[in-house]
Amino acid sequence: MQLNVNGRSHDLGDIDPSTPLLWVLRDTLGLVGTKYGCGVGQCSACTVHVNGAPVQSCQLPVQSVADQRITTIEGVAGEDGALHPVQQAWIDEDVAQCGYCQAGQIMSAVALLESNPKPTDRDIDSAMSRNICRCGTYNRIRNAIHVAAGQAPKTGSAS
Amino acid sequence: MSYEPKFTIDPYVPDYLKESVAAMNTAAARVSRRQFIKVTGFVGGGLVLGFTMGPGARRAEAQHDAHGAAAAKFTPNAYVQITPDGTVVLYAKNPDVGQGVKTSLPMIVAEELDADWSKVRVEQSVISMELYGPQFAGGSTAIPMNYDILRRAGAVARAMLVSAAAQSLDVPESELTTEPGYVVHARSGRRLGYGELTEQAATLPVPDAASVKLKDPKDFRLLGKRITGVDNVKVVTGQPMFGIDQRLPNMQYATYVKAPAIGARAVSANLDHVKSMPGVKDAFLMEAKGNAIEFNPAGDTMLSGVAIVADSTWAAFRAARELQVQWDESGASSDSWSGAVAEAQRLAGQAPQATLGETGNVDAAFADADKTVEGFYTYPFVSHADLEPQNCTAWCKDDGSVEIWAPTQTPQAAVDAVAALLDVPKDKVTLHQLRGGGGFGRRLANDSVVEVAAISKRIGAPVKAQWSREDDMHFDYYRPGGFHSFKGAIDASGKLAAFEDHFITFTRGGSMPISAATLSPQEFPANVLPNARIAQSAMPSKMPSGPWRAPGSNAIAFAVQSFLHECAVAANRDHLEFLLEIMGEPRWLAPGNPQALNTERAATVIKLAAEKAGWGRTMPRGRGLGLAFHFSHAGHFAEVAEVSVDDNRRLTVHKVTVAGDIGPIVNLSGAENQCQGSVIDGFSTAMGLEITFENGRVEQNNFDRYPILRMNKAPVVDVHFVESDYAPTGVGEPALPPAAPAICNAIYAATGHRVRTLPLTKEGFSV
């Protein structure tokens, strides 16, 4: 089976086709940025893009996405390593606490801005409420999305 | 000399952490006075200062040598290394589980070093009591325990760089100043970068940390600013750093299945079937060791269960679903939460089993009361629910040494536990500290570490043991539930004249409550009122319990601060005025002890929160403001919630205004983030979270039945700091306790309904 992740094709050999995409990414391909949180599609820490749409990779048998275009958190920055505006906003607004959910949050936010470049608070809440942040960084996630969309000034954390 | 830190900690912090603080108070000065002055040799033409101590020090040398090994390095102590290119490597000593110490602790060093923060690289230090004293994440203690030590570590390095520059430039030290990354001789206009000075500095004697000159805080360039987390680039690009991300050559993947009834013993299982499943390499029963339901970070205890070892996490998890185990439940818990609630109500109607503390004449004050107010409050067990389920990687090697990769909050205790389990000397156990995806107290316990060490020992290979979400929720050291039967006496002038709390808790059968289920005889407001009595009754429990963010306080504040509002309402008084009156005259209850309430600081934050929230505004029907205050972990915090409640008890928390006094702020961004997260955690937990159990079996096992609050229900959290001149203290915990009572008091203001049972869903509320 072939899997296309972040623009690269991977031969998965005779992998069990029912294996969730999450575990193929993490254990087979070593792309551990995508996180396991609940395994039942509740927390969205495992969010990746399939053909640009955000999906919960813990719920997807790998066979269902063979030959589809998969993007993980490791593939969000440009080829030259330039951060995506959402990633940069996450740094500038110092969103993360433990950081564990943030890959999934960023994948949801990137997908939101691609379909809705100037989201309202309500749009953001609607798109982002599938993702749990146990640390409660929701205020900053919302603000960082506005910053990435050019709708709010940076708060300005030095790095 | 204030160098030796004296720091006592919150009465609700577990004994293990109290011991760590005691060790810090006696050992920190000793450790840091060993001045690391042994010259270990020439490297690339320069001198490297090494360490004069034991195996931990050798590990630290290896840690330091990893950077720029071919060049002259300046390593004045275990926290600082500067290489000739001007790179400053600062070592962060404590585990980071989201509280931000990997950024804030090095900031303190960088401030006194006058480092250029943009050229600082922060690395997690080795785990070594000898080098660093206690290393743990708990009790909001990192800042108060380390602030002075880290300032001096930076100042020592800066002093040596200045001395080196004085020699190089042949000018008196008194003519030199520093700017970030440079020593400056203003008179001649010459500047030397820190990197240019490393070789010279490395030859100098290390000055006494106790007498090195520190900056005047008004000259701080870095502390108090907003600094983004040092690992944020890794976070946003998905780089490996959490426990779950650990991978090793030939690493196996394990899961460890324990009994539904807490404490049951595995007797037999369909191991042959499990071992025949795809990817499964081994499966075996493991015996219980010690008493694993007792919270003990250094304990080499484990529950009985079945280990499944496979070639991937998924293969192990899938096999676990087909595992069938015969459990012997004869020693297991048969506890029932609904039974405990009924028993607590019965006990509340009886005389308390013990009086913990009494001041004044409580009975006389009640006899003279104009009004008596009574309220019975209930809160449930709750789970930590770290988003990264518990996990650990271990490798028991053939030579008897052990390596552990753990996202633990108590790495030194984890080493103790593994050494005891495997009966090897502690210096044979090397623990690599990894980032924790949330902690909240869960990772104080090292049960996941002990389990994987036992599995690795058995199979003789490196192995990562991963708990499923269901395991994580089912096998926690829960925040214990509890019950408070309050009485308050209102005198003819409308004052709170007396207060009584009959606390109903759990024990293992004796009089000592289970972990994190204690009540201090000096709990507020007993510590400020003329007449107060704290009494206790208890019932037996066989459920695991332990510290959960702001232990004790996280639940007591809900009950006490709600009841004090009941008293204010009964007295027909404004809550703000009533609360300030209870605080009384400005005084520090134990002067010099940061863990003692200071009523002046309390009144200041209460007034500030009220002012910032617009206290006293007329609110439309169904909308209200609620106030609460709580002092814990050396932090004074007041919060005002603004809520709406509709006719179907659908709740909206619009905004929570926070006013806190933790002294000077180290990292404004991090501190504010902790407060926002604490309030949202407090609301999330109060709103809909509870762990229930019947017949010893926990009834929740994933987020569908343990609904962590989501973004669309999260309030705006507006944070204000007083920034008083007291010594700086921690902020991982103290902003949490006032959130629930502020919201519940706002619900009363909006509706006239008094919430006495959490979670709010129990009383018909929804979001």
Side-chain angles (χ1 to χ4, degrees):
Chain A
M1 186 184 304
Q2 294 288 315
L3 201 64
N4 183 320
V5 184
N6 301 331
R8 285 187 55 198
S9 185
H10 299 268
D11 183 358
L12 299 180
D14 60 351
I15 194 164
D16 177 343
S18 69
T19 308
L21 174 61
L22 168 67
W23 296 111
V24 174
L25 293 171
R26 290 188 57 83
D27 290 350
T28 309
L29 302 182
L31 293 169
V32 296
T34 303
K35 293 296 191 268
Y36 166 63
C38 69
V40 296
Q42 283 282 327
C43 77
S44 296
C46 65
T47 300
V48 300
H49 294 177
V50 174
N51 301 327
V55 296
Q56 295 167 330
S57 63
C58 77
Q59 296 298 293
L60 280 182
V62 66
Q63 66 182 350
S64 71
V65 291
D67 304 320
Q68 308 292 302
R69 187 166 51 85
I70 297 162
T71 306
T72 70
I73 187 68
E74 290 92 344
V76 170
E79 287 286 313
D80 55 355
L83 296 178
H84 187 283
V86 168
Q87 292 173 312
Q88 189 61 52
W90 246 247
I91 294 170
D92 293 340
E93 299 307 308
D94 191 21
V95 170
Q97 287 185 29
C98 84
Y100 192 77
C101 73
Q102 300 296 351
Q105 304 277 3
I106 288 169
M107 297 311 288
S108 293
V110 168
L112 165 66
L113 293 181
E114 280 172 8
S115 64
N116 181 356
K118 301 288 176 193
T120 63
D121 277 350
R122 184 180 291 262
D123 295 336
I124 293 172
D125 282 357
S126 170
M128 299 301 296
S129 289
R130 294 181 315 161
N131 292 73
I132 287 176
C133 174
R134 172 67 182 87
C135 300
T137 64
Y138 298 129
N139 280 213
R140 288 190 176 196
I141 291 172
R142 188 184 289 139
N143 197 47
I145 292 172
H146 282 309
V147 169
Q151 300 181 123
K154 287 184 190 178
T155 306
S157 293
S159 53
Chain B
M1 188 70 252
S2 63
Y3 182 47
E4 295 188 26
K6 286 290 181 225
F7 191 70
T8 58
I9 61 176
D10 197 280
Y12 300 110
V13 163
D15 288 342
Y16 170 73
L17 296 185
K18 289 178 185 164
E19 288 163 15
S20 281
V21 171
M24 190 76 177
N25 285 338
T26 56
R30 173 178 60 78
V31 167
S32 45
R33 274 198 209 106
R34 301 179 185 189
Q35 293 295 346
F36 311 108
I37 50 175
K38 185 180 154 215
V39 176
T40 55
F42 291 85
V43 180
L47 279 167
V48 179
L49 289 177
F51 302 92
T52 56
M53 294 173 286
R58 285 197 293 279
R59 241 177 267 152
E61 279 188 61
Q63 144 183 293
H64 284 57
D65 282 347
H67 306 290
K73 295 169 294 182
F74 170 51
T75 308
N77 52 50
Y79 299 98
V80 180
Q81 180 175 62
I82 306 175
T83 51
D85 68 356
T87 299
V88 176
V89 180
L90 299 180
Y91 292 93
K93 63 175 275 192
N94 279 359
D96 203 321
V97 291
Q99 80 281 40
V101 291
K102 194 171 173 187
T103 303
S104 58
L105 294 181
M107 280 175 68
I108 299 166
V109 181
E111 178 66 67
E112 291 289 347
L113 174 58
D114 237 350
D116 176 352
W117 185 253
S118 69
K119 291 190 175 171
V120 166
R121 190 169 73 234
V122 174
E123 306 231 339
Q124 193 74 46
S125 80
V126 296
I127 301 303
S128 166
M129 177 70 89
E130 281 179 293
L131 281 177
Y132 294 103
Q135 294 170 284
F136 65 95
S140 296
T141 55
I143 295 294
M145 286 175 70
N146 294 292
Y147 186 72
D148 195 59
I149 290 167
L150 296 179
R151 285 184 76 185
R152 289 174 191 282
V156 161
R158 178 184 169 279
M160 294 174 75
L161 292 163
V162 168
S163 296
Q167 291 179 4
S168 294
L169 300 174
D170 195 22
V171 297
E173 288 184 22
S174 60
E175 292 183 6
L176 296 170
T177 57
T178 53
E179 292 175 6
Y182 290 90
V183 181
V184 178
H185 187 240
R187 182 180 292 183
S188 65
R190 288 178 292 176
R191 296 156 63 85
L192 287 172
Y194 284 179
E196 299 173 74
L197 292 164
T198 54
E199 190 171 338
Q200 181 75 17
T203 66
L204 299 175
V206 182
D208 181 12
S211 55
V212 71
K213 188 173 182 327
L214 298 177
K215 281 186 179 178
D216 184 326
K218 74 175 169 42
D219 297 327
F220 283 171
R221 304 177 200 265
L222 197 56
L223 298 190
K225 299 267 192 322
R226 293 181 178 276
I227 301 295
T228 200
V230 296
D231 278 337
N232 276 344
V233 172
K234 286 184 176 174
V235 167
V236 305
T237 55
Q239 300 308 301
M241 62 178 149
F242 295 96
I244 197 173
D245 299 339
Q246 186 62 41
R247 292 161 66 84
L248 295 168
N250 305 314
M251 185 180 82
Q252 310 293 306
Y253 296 80
T255 190
Y256 186 58
V257 178
K258 291 165 281 199
I262 302 293
R265 190 173 70 83
V267 176
S268 63
N270 58 339
L271 297 177
D272 289 341
H273 172 66
V274 168
K275 283 192 268 194
S276 74
M277 291 186 65
V280 175
K281 301 196 165 187
D282 203 353
F284 44 88
L285 272 57
M286 296 185 78
E287 287 293 321
K289 188 165 190 301
N291 186 1
I293 70 167
E294 298 300 346
F295 170 80
N296 177 9
D300 59 328
T301 61
M302 60 186 282
L303 293 169
S304 170
V306 179
I308 300 172
V309 182
D311 62 6
S312 73
T313 312
W314 175 245
F317 281 3
R318 184 176 48 188
R321 290 183 190 171
E322 297 207 13
L323 179 70
Q324 294 176 351
V325 188
Q326 284 71 54
W327 302 104
D328 171 4
E329 296 188 5
S330 57
S333 171
S334 59
D335 286 19
S336 156
W337 171 246
S338 59
V341 170
E343 175 66 1
Q345 287 165 349
R346 190 185 69 80
L347 289 168
Q350 300 185 348
Q353 294 163 356
T355 298
L356 302 180
E358 184 161 359
T359 50
N361 191 332
V362 176
D363 294 333
F366 274 102
D368 291 345
D370 190 51
K371 276 183 188 166
T372 297
V373 186
E374 297 187 24
F376 182 78
Y377 285 75
T378 301
Y379 45 80
F381 282 65
V382 295
S383 178
H384 297 83
D386 299 350
L387 199 59
E388 179 191 14
Q390 306 307 302
N391 65 80
C392 185
T393 302
W395 186 5
C396 296
K397 300 178 185 175
D398 294 340
D399 64 3
S401 66
V402 186
E403 280 193 80
I404 303 286
W405 292 262
T408 176
Q409 291 180 242
T410 55
Q412 293 167 341
V415 169
D416 292 351
V418 170
L421 176 82
L422 303 176
D423 195 21
V424 297
K426 287 179 193 177
D427 64 6
K428 288 283 189 189
V429 181
T430 302
L431 186 140
H432 305 274
Q433 178 68 52
L434 301 179
R435 191 178 183 87
F440 311 108
R442 178 63 183 89
R443 297 182 205 276
L444 293 167
N446 289 305
D447 42 346
S448 56
V449 180
V450 170
E451 287 174 8
V452 74
I455 293 168
S456 179
K457 177 72 178 175
R458 165 83 177 243
I459 67 173
V463 57
K464 175 164 66 181
Q466 179 63 51
W467 296 31
S468 68
R469 169 56 54 197
E470 290 79 5
D471 294 335
D472 195 275
M473 200 166 286
H474 204 114
F475 302 100
D476 198 352
Y477 292 94
Y478 304 98
R479 189 284 299 276
F483 313 85
H484 294 257
S485 181
F486 292 122
K487 276 175 70 180
I490 309 294
D491 70 15
S493 66
K495 275 189 172 176
L496 182 63
F499 171 83
E500 182 178 71
D501 182 0
H502 179 186
F503 174 53
I504 295 156
T505 187
F506 299 94
T507 70
R508 299 286 185 227
S511 61
M512 186 60 188
I514 62 176
S515 181
T518 55
L519 183 65
S520 164
Q522 285 299 303
E523 182 60 47
F524 182 85
N527 54 354
V528 293
L529 289 178
N531 305 298
R533 181 187 294 132
I534 304 265
Q536 178 177 296
S537 296
M539 56 191 129
S541 167
K542 288 177 87 170
M543 296 304 290
S545 71
W548 187 103
R549 193 179 203 173
S553 298
N554 59 50
I556 293 165
F558 152 68
V560 167
Q561 293 290 316
S562 296
F563 182 68
L564 292 181
H565 185 220
E566 282 201 72
C567 291
V569 170
N572 200 23
R573 301 274 304 279
D574 172 65
H575 188 199
L576 169 62
E577 177 199 49
F578 189 76
L579 199 50
L580 291 170
E581 183 180 87
I582 290 171
M583 291 297 166
E585 292 301 307
R587 63 204 188 281
W588 195 353
L589 298 186
N593 178 358
Q595 292 296 339
L597 176 71
N598 181 321
T599 59
E600 183 175 25
R601 297 175 79 181
T604 301
V605 297
I606 291 168
K607 288 177 198 166
L608 181 62
E611 177 204 324
K612 295 292 184 184
W615 184 258
R617 278 181 286 152
T618 304
M619 307 294 279
R621 178 179 171 274
R623 195 164 176 126
L625 294 175
L627 169 67
F629 166 85
H630 189 75
F631 171 75
S632 74
H633 300 80
H636 296 77
F637 276 84
E639 296 172 13
V640 174
E642 181 166 353
V643 312
S644 299
V645 185
D646 75 8
D647 293 339
N648 297 316
R649 292 198 175 172
R650 194 176 171 91
L651 170 68
T652 304
V653 181
H654 301 282
K655 183 175 177 181
V656 177
T657 304
V658 177
D661 182 356
I662 50 171
I665 302 299
V666 173
N667 181 358
L668 180 58
S669 177
E672 185 185 88
N673 208 353
Q674 290 302 310
C675 292
Q676 291 177 326
S678 292
V679 167
I680 287 170
D681 190 359
F683 175 38
S684 174
T685 307
M687 183 62 230
L689 302 185
E690 63 172 336
I691 291 292
T692 59
F693 38 87
E694 294 298 333
N695 201 23
R697 291 158 165 81
V698 170
E699 297 183 308
Q700 293 74 23
N701 64 9
N702 212 314
F703 295 127
D704 50 348
R705 296 188 66 191
Y706 199 77
I708 306 281
L709 195 80
R710 291 167 190 269
M711 183 190 276
N712 57 347
K713 308 299 181 187
V716 169
V717 184
D718 181 26
V719 180
H720 303 270
F721 293 114
V722 171
E723 298 228 41
S724 64
D725 291 332
Y726 294 92
T729 56
V731 70
E733 294 167 279
L736 184 139
I743 290 165
C744 292
N745 292 342
I747 289 171
Y748 182 86
T751 66
H753 177 83
R754 174 61 59 190
V755 175
R756 295 196 187 88
T757 301
L758 293 182
L760 285 155
T761 47
K762 285 281 189 228
E763 297 199 2
F765 290 91
S766 63
V767 284

